[in-house]
Amino acid sequence: MSEQWLNEGLYDSWGQRFRVRKELARVKSPFQDIVVFESDSHGRVLMLDGVVQITEADEFVYQEMLTHVPLFTHPDPRRVLIIGAGDGGVLRRVLEHKAVEKAVMVEIDGAVIELSKQHLPKIAGDAWNDARADVIVGDGIAYVAEAPDASFDVIIVDSTDPIGVGEVLFTDSFYEHCARILGPDGLIVNQCGVPFMQADELHETSLRRAKFFPQVSAYVAAVPTYVGGFMTLGIASKGADPTQQDVTTVKARAKQAGVLGNTQYWTPEIHVGSFNLPPYIAKHLPSGN
């Protein structure tokens, strides 16, 4: 880190940089390099292996879309499994749904959780202390492989890109076990990168999921610090087609859940509209549309 600026290292030929007010933590865990710093523009920022994971300024976009879309797509989500998401933001949004009875979160790197609790407390809020939350520091791959059949309704994977510690979360074996431990209407969501720069990530992940799920699609969210345009969130379902939803139904469910009107990015209209993909993104799905 220079005295004043920090450069993100996701791409070799293109990137972004942040003016640093103060470095809050720099830790080399057994899994990755972790940096938390105070920026001039985006509040506090969490970086893993030189790549921005979350910022206080725009975390709501990613967290809301990664959570509320699958939970309002599944007809009755009561048991939710979260893989990764060590900052606690996804856990917080899952627990905003009053009907959720159990949220199991499995994060491989305990240092991410502890540093997030210490330096990014606004992101998780009180989620860590919710009686419905079961936070496990452990291997998400092993957890999924050992979980009983049909033990969850929704799986949310909030991982790094498919390199390093996150790579094993994008394999055939992982998706096969996810399909097994999901109920009849079960669905899985995971980030599939920014297709303007990472089209292979969406394409390859979708092909893998299509081996085990009858419905495979994606939706988009515009997260400012995930540079390159829309980020895609891949969704695969054992039940109904996620792309065939209507605003009236989603709005009624959101009102009943207590979420309607309490978000900064997600709305029922955004929810339904986010499945309308630009052709440059849609062509990377198995159906090509």
Side-chain angles (χ1 to χ4, degrees):
M1 182 182 290
S2 66
E3 184 180 347
Q4 194 174 18
W5 293 92
L6 190 150
N7 295 311
E8 182 179 32
L10 180 58
Y11 307 120
D12 292 334
S13 56
W14 187 37
Q16 62 180 327
R17 64 177 187 164
F18 295 85
R19 192 195 304 271
V20 178
R21 285 185 179 176
K22 182 181 180 182
E23 183 177 308
L24 302 171
R26 179 178 288 269
V27 174
K28 185 173 182 61
S29 79
F31 302 98
Q32 55 207 337
D33 292 323
I34 309 168
V35 175
V36 185
F37 65 93
E38 186 88 36
S39 73
D40 260 4
S41 55
H42 289 69
R44 295 186 173 188
V45 180
L46 169 67
M47 298 185 79
L48 301 178
D49 289 334
V51 179
V52 173
Q53 301 301 309
I54 215 76
T55 82
E56 286 182 324
D58 67 4
E59 58 88 21
F60 64 90
V61 181
Y62 179 66
Q63 314 273 29
E64 289 178 6
M65 292 298 283
L66 190 63
T67 302
H68 296 321
V69 172
L71 265 63
F72 287 130
T73 298
H74 189 283
D76 187 25
R78 296 182 181 273
R79 305 157 299 164
V80 180
L81 174 61
I82 304 164
I83 304 292
D87 56 73
V90 171
L91 181 65
R92 169 187 162 194
R93 267 68 177 207
V94 167
L95 294 171
E96 288 176 355
H97 291 250
K98 294 182 289 188
V100 169
E101 297 170 354
K102 190 73 172 179
V104 178
M105 173 181 150
V106 185
E107 163 64 55
I108 196 168
D109 196 341
V112 174
I113 295 176
E114 293 308 312
L115 290 170
S116 296
K117 287 180 177 179
Q118 182 178 355
H119 297 295
L120 301 163
K122 295 178 183 178
I123 290 181
D126 295 327
W128 302 117
N129 303 315
D130 194 299
R132 295 171 294 162
D134 182 9
V135 178
I136 300 168
V137 176
D139 185 350
I141 302 298
Y143 186 93
V144 168
E146 296 166 7
D149 293 359
S151 52
F152 291 98
D153 301 308
V154 173
I155 299 174
I156 300 173
V157 183
D158 180 15
S159 69
T160 57
D161 289 303
I163 53 176
V165 70
E167 185 173 5
V168 289
L169 296 173
F170 291 79
T171 63
D172 283 5
S173 175
F174 176 71
Y175 290 121
E176 183 175 17
H177 279 298
C178 286
R180 177 185 60 79
I181 70 173
L182 284 166
D185 292 308
L187 54 87
I188 180 173
V189 169
N190 63 295
Q191 69 90 357
C192 289
V194 176
F196 185 79
M197 294 294 290
Q198 300 167 304
D200 287 349
E201 193 169 316
L202 173 62
H203 180 71
E204 293 172 9
T205 300
S206 298
L207 288 176
R208 291 182 187 279
R209 288 183 314 215
K211 299 176 183 179
F212 311 106
F213 292 88
Q215 305 288 348
V216 174
S217 188
Y219 58 100
V220 293
V223 186
T225 46
Y226 299 158
V227 296
F230 283 122
M231 166 166 246
T232 49
L233 301 167
I235 186 167
S237 173
K238 295 172 70 173
D241 183 352
T243 67
Q244 302 301 308
Q245 301 184 64
D246 66 90
V247 172
T248 301
T249 300
V250 175
K251 184 176 291 186
R253 291 190 58 190
K255 183 176 182 179
Q256 184 178 18
V259 172
L260 191 65
N262 294 318
T263 57
Q264 297 183 73
Y265 185 93
W266 181 95
T267 66
E269 293 80 8
I270 292 291
H271 176 122
V272 173
S274 67
F275 286 94
N276 295 314
L277 302 178
Y280 86 93
I281 297 176
K283 70 181 182 180
H284 297 295
L285 294 172
S287 61
N289 55 47

